[in-house]
Amino acid sequence: MTVFHSPVPFSVGFHTQQTLHFAEARDLSSWRQWRRSTRRNVRRLRDDAHEWLNSLKLWRGDIHLIEGMFGTGILSYFSFLRFLVLLNSVIFLLMFSFIMLPIILVPHASGNTTYNQYDGSECSLYPSSSRRGLVIFHEHITDLLSGGGFLEQTYLFYGFYKVDKIHFPNFTYNVPLAYLLVTVAYLFLSLIWIVKRSATGFKRNLVQDEDRFQSFCNKIFAGWDFCITNENAARLKRSSLLYELKTDLEEERIKQKIADRTRKEKCRIYVLRLVLNLFVIGVLAGCFYSIYVATIVSQELTSVGFQENFIMDLIYEYLPSIVITLANFITPLLFSVIINFEDYSPAFEIRFTLMRCVFMRLTSIGVLLFSLWSQITECGEESCICGYNHKLYSCWETRVGQEMYKLTVFDFIIIVAVTIFVEFPRKLIVKHCDCGLAKWWGQQEFAIPQNVLEIVYGQTICWIGTFYCPLLPAICTIKYFFIFYIKKVSLINNCRPATRPFRASSSNFFFLGVLLIGLALACVPVSVSVAQINCSQACGPFVNYNTSWEVLPTTVSQLPYGVKTFLFALSSEAFAVSFFVITCLAMFYVIALAGAHKRVINQLREQLAMEGRDKRFLIQKLCQAQRVSAIRSPVSKSQPRTSRSSPSYHTSFSNNFSESVFLAHPPPDSSTHV
């Protein structure tokens, strides 16, 4: 007889669930239903927007290709480069929107402009540097590379912005105040952005450094992306995972080697490191003195106007840049050779080399600015009637901007020249030449410290020069855009993966830390020039003020009484002390909270480890009980299996298993006293 299973129970269950759902929906008010549906729609819209924004990321496909071929270490360099492109674009938008755009819109918005006029004094004389008469073609090239000539009186440099106020029909726009506030804004924005980005890398670095075994497990058991369906993408992902595992194993090997050192080996390596660091200090001192002398000679020759020929003019103009570039090119090579004898781990080797190069590159900019300011603020035997050397520098801000412009242009030229005339010929020689020298030279590796320092050095110049050259962020954006493709082509065609790989997460955090050092260094000369050095009285928006900072208290003094009192209260010492105390208390609270969370995490981790040991102990006792039961009740092959043997076996097994469980979990008294 055929048994027919009725679908009634299923339908009844379904209708019961549906009835409960409707009853729950009736219990909710219309306001709660609307809030729940709105929250769900907003979450879905946010996820869709996030996915769409990720698809619009610059160089997304190129970066995935680089990650698969060369690992996440080199990937971090290109991600860092993309971040700087975006940062410079935002800085340029700030400068353009609040400084250049109002001046451009004045003729089209029925506005009146108040200019800083020439008052006839000696300090307000600003001779034009544009060439007159028949201009030879190479002179245009000299002006384009040096920022002088026809470029000096354009939107590119500080001296062009002679506007004091713009009177629109409804309000008055204060250009000097906007210039100062935008300068503070782009420095503060850069600080917040870098700190926010580095915090993410710091958390990842902290998690990975906390438990290396967890890192291995995550890569082996949870590192694969099962959404990958493309064969090429799967190959790139596999290559990336293998590269990261190689990095972890290499770091473990170096740590074991360091732990196995004897006392004699430690003494030898410490003495060697001391000698090598003294040598490095001597090299740095020699480089700084050469930069100082080159800057003084270049300023004296260009102020005299000595022109011999096209090549010599360029050499005189670019003499500080040439010396700085040679120092920055030679010292990283020297440091990379020295670091091999100091026997550090791969990650620390990268960081220490990077710190040496950071100190060299960034301090070279400081030496250049110090040399310029020693010329600007000193008037020789005469007194500076204008507050600065107006005879040598009628518009010293433009001259500083020209130096930053030349450093930026020359840095880009050197990067392109090294790629074309050094890296490509080296690849051809190694590939097609069978001589021993070519094999010893080998294929080039992608030197991450040197490449990172190139862009950190360029970004520091951009931060310093933006006050004196407002269009410099746009130039740096275009420069980094082309550098990405230049480095990508050179990496794929000329370079090979590093023989000593390193971790990407710590590199990301450290790169941003180095960039933060560059930002701190950039703030020092900008702050000194804004608050200490007298403004040029022949050019720029701050002609009516002694220093650029004076525009802020002058504007505040013209505000209504209530607003002025509030702003003065914010700038008072009482508010500063109170804010400092509150900040310290908040910081101590966060530190204490972080310590408590860390202790809880350690306790949970220990508890998980204890549970794992308990489970392993139980499994061992279970296996032991099975072996004991098998020995006590053997089954002979010659005798048939009876019904008596079976119960005895199970009884023995159950008894032994109960005993093993009892041994695994002792009585509470004994466990308490252990």
Side-chain angles (χ1 to χ4, degrees):
M1 181 176 64
T2 305
V3 179
F4 178 76
H5 297 280
S6 174
V8 174
F10 172 76
S11 62
V12 171
F14 175 75
H15 287 300
T16 303
Q17 293 177 0
Q18 192 173 11
T19 304
L20 291 175
H21 177 71
F22 287 151
E24 183 182 356
R26 278 198 309 271
D27 293 338
L28 292 175
S29 63
S30 59
W31 170 249
R32 290 183 179 180
Q33 291 179 8
W34 181 82
R35 285 180 58 188
R36 178 178 293 182
S37 61
T38 303
R39 193 181 300 114
R40 189 187 309 114
N41 293 331
V42 169
R43 189 184 303 113
R44 187 183 300 113
L45 182 63
R46 186 176 63 247
D47 294 339
D48 294 340
H50 183 69
E51 184 178 356
W52 180 71
L53 289 176
N54 284 334
S55 65
L56 294 180
K57 278 187 177 180
L58 185 64
W59 303 317
R60 184 183 181 187
D62 296 331
I63 286 180
H64 283 324
L65 176 65
I66 293 169
E67 179 185 8
M69 295 180 65
F70 298 95
T72 55
I74 296 178
L75 165 72
S76 61
Y77 166 79
F78 287 93
S79 300
F80 185 56
L81 193 59
R82 180 173 61 183
F83 164 69
L84 291 183
V85 169
L86 185 60
L87 177 62
N88 286 318
S89 302
V90 174
I91 294 175
F92 167 70
L93 288 177
L94 283 175
M95 301 296 293
F96 179 79
S97 301
F98 293 97
I99 297 176
M100 305 171 201
L101 188 60
I103 299 175
I104 296 173
L105 292 179
V106 167
H108 308 284
S110 301
N112 296 323
T113 305
T114 303
Y115 289 94
N116 298 315
Q117 300 292 337
Y118 170 65
D119 59 359
S121 63
E122 183 181 359
C123 297
S124 61
L125 181 61
Y126 185 22
S128 175
S129 63
S130 59
R131 304 179 188 273
R132 299 180 179 179
L134 182 62
V135 181
I136 307 174
F137 176 73
H138 70 77
E139 293 179 347
H140 284 299
I141 298 177
T142 304
D143 295 341
L144 186 64
L145 294 177
S146 63
F150 71 95
L151 283 180
E152 186 170 340
Q153 295 295 331
T154 60
Y155 285 97
L156 185 61
F157 292 109
Y158 169 94
F160 176 79
Y161 301 91
K162 299 179 181 179
V163 179
D164 183 33
K165 290 180 176 61
I166 301 176
H167 303 279
F168 290 104
N170 297 324
F171 66 97
T172 300
Y173 192 78
N174 193 336
V175 176
L177 180 64
Y179 204 104
L180 179 64
L181 292 181
V182 169
T183 302
V184 176
Y186 81 75
L187 291 174
F188 185 72
L189 173 66
S190 302
L191 174 64
I192 296 299
W193 205 341
I194 294 172
V195 169
K196 182 179 180 300
R197 189 179 176 90
S198 61
T200 305
F202 177 74
K203 287 188 289 187
R204 293 177 182 174
N205 188 24
L206 185 63
V207 170
Q208 290 191 356
D209 290 343
E210 187 71 23
D211 191 358
R212 184 56 55 84
F213 182 73
Q214 181 182 0
S215 176
F216 281 113
C217 293
N218 289 336
K219 288 183 176 65
I220 295 173
F221 296 107
W224 186 257
D225 186 1
F226 289 94
C227 297
I228 296 176
T229 57
N230 189 4
E231 182 180 356
N232 188 28
R235 181 177 57 83
L236 294 177
K237 184 65 177 178
R238 175 179 174 273
S239 177
S240 177
L241 288 174
L242 288 176
Y243 203 85
E244 291 187 8
L245 289 172
K246 185 190 294 185
T247 301
D248 294 334
L249 294 174
E250 179 70 12
E251 290 188 0
E252 290 295 327
R253 187 187 66 82
I254 295 295
K255 287 183 179 179
Q256 185 64 35
K257 179 182 176 182
I258 294 174
D260 295 339
R261 283 177 182 165
T262 61
R263 184 175 299 178
K264 182 178 180 181
E265 291 176 347
K266 289 180 181 180
C267 294
R268 181 187 61 82
I269 198 66
Y270 290 154
V271 172
L272 182 61
R273 288 175 183 176
L274 177 63
V275 173
L276 292 176
N277 280 287
L278 292 176
F279 175 73
V280 168
I281 292 173
V283 170
L284 293 175
C287 292
F288 296 153
Y289 180 74
S290 302
I291 294 169
Y292 177 80
V293 173
T295 305
I296 300 298
V297 172
S298 174
Q299 295 298 310
E300 291 177 353
L301 291 177
T302 53
S303 62
V304 171
F306 178 77
Q307 295 181 356
E308 187 173 340
N309 53 45
F310 171 65
I311 303 298
M312 295 305 298
D313 288 345
L314 284 180
I315 291 176
Y316 295 150
E317 289 281 353
Y318 275 89
L319 187 60
S321 303
I322 292 172
V323 175
I324 290 174
T325 303
L326 287 176
N328 293 336
F329 181 75
I330 294 173
T331 50
L333 298 177
L334 186 62
F335 294 158
S336 62
V337 174
I338 291 175
I339 201 70
N340 293 326
F341 298 97
E342 294 178 306
D343 199 9
Y344 294 116
S345 63
F348 186 78
E349 183 176 311
I350 292 290
R351 296 173 187 176
F352 198 50
T353 305
L354 199 56
M355 287 304 300
R356 285 173 173 172
C357 298
V358 164
F359 186 77
M360 173 61 215
R361 283 183 175 265
L362 300 186
T363 312
S364 64
I365 303 175
V367 173
L368 172 65
L369 293 173
F370 173 78
S371 305
L372 287 173
W373 284 337
S374 65
Q375 296 289 309
I376 292 169
T377 57
E378 293 180 2
C379 302
E381 298 179 355
E382 302 177 358
S383 61
C384 296
I385 59 175
C386 303
Y388 60 94
N389 192 345
H390 67 283
K391 295 182 179 179
L392 188 60
Y393 303 100
S394 55
C395 183
W396 65 265
E397 291 93 346
T398 297
R399 181 62 67 89
V400 175
Q402 288 172 345
E403 292 296 330
M404 298 297 106
Y405 172 81
K406 287 187 287 186
L407 285 174
T408 302
V409 173
F410 195 72
D411 182 57
F412 179 70
I413 292 173
I414 290 298
I415 291 174
V416 175
V418 168
T419 304
I420 295 175
F421 299 109
V422 176
E423 295 179 358
F424 278 105
R426 175 175 177 175
K427 173 64 180 299
L428 294 175
I429 292 174
V430 172
K431 183 177 180 180
H432 299 287
C433 183
D434 295 332
C435 60
L437 181 61
K439 293 181 179 179
W440 173 79
W441 199 12
Q443 190 176 358
Q444 180 177 348
E445 292 184 2
F446 192 82
I448 290 186
Q450 184 175 353
N451 285 281
V452 169
L453 257 296
E454 285 178 355
I455 56 178
V456 171
Y457 166 76
Q459 186 59 37
T460 306
I461 293 172
C462 179
W463 278 322
I464 296 173
T466 302
F467 180 78
Y468 314 100
C469 181
L471 283 178
L472 195 60
I475 297 173
C476 290
T477 302
I478 299 172
K479 168 188 168 183
Y480 290 141
F481 187 84
F482 283 106
I483 285 177
F484 181 90
Y485 288 102
I486 292 171
K487 293 296 182 181
K488 176 197 168 186
V489 172
S490 177
L491 174 67
I492 294 175
N493 296 310
N494 301 330
C495 301
R496 59 185 172 88
T499 55
R500 303 184 70 181
F502 59 95
R503 190 176 307 281
S505 59
S506 58
S507 301
N508 283 325
F509 171 69
F510 194 70
F511 294 166
L512 292 168
V514 172
L515 190 63
L516 197 61
I517 295 174
L519 177 61
L521 179 64
C523 291
V524 173
V526 175
S527 301
V528 170
S529 63
V530 166
Q532 297 294 329
I533 303 179
N534 288 25
C535 301
S536 297
Q537 300 181 21
C539 66
F542 300 100
V543 170
N544 299 324
Y545 306 95
N546 292 327
T547 60
S548 301
W549 186 255
E550 281 189 4
V551 66
L552 193 60
T554 303
T555 306
V556 170
S557 64
Q558 298 173 358
L559 294 174
Y561 178 76
V563 179
K564 181 170 60 176
T565 305
F566 176 73
L567 293 177
F568 282 149
L570 289 180
S571 60
S572 63
E573 295 179 356
F575 178 80
V577 172
S578 304
F579 181 76
F580 178 74
V581 171
I582 294 173
T583 305
C584 290
L585 291 176
M587 183 178 64
F588 291 150
Y589 171 75
V590 171
I591 292 174
L593 188 63
H597 289 167
K598 188 174 182 180
R599 285 192 297 271
V600 171
I601 291 172
N602 292 332
Q603 290 176 1
L604 292 174
R605 187 170 293 163
E606 292 176 358
Q607 184 177 353
L608 287 174
M610 290 177 63
E611 290 182 359
R613 287 193 294 267
D614 290 343
K615 291 178 180 179
R616 186 172 61 181
F617 181 76
L618 286 174
I619 293 174
Q620 291 176 355
K621 287 298 180 180
L622 178 62
C623 296
Q624 183 180 359
Q626 289 178 348
R627 287 195 297 268
V628 170
S629 61
I631 294 173
R632 289 182 178 179
S633 58
V635 179
S636 177
K637 294 182 180 179
S638 60
Q639 297 178 354
R641 181 173 299 177
T642 61
S643 59
R644 296 179 181 177
S645 62
S646 205
S648 65
Y649 174 79
H650 290 290
T651 304
S652 175
F653 173 76
S654 62
N655 292 333
N656 287 309
F657 180 75
S658 300
E659 183 182 358
S660 65
V661 173
F662 178 78
L663 290 174
H665 297 279
D669 296 336
S670 62
S671 63
T672 306
H673 293 292
V674 170

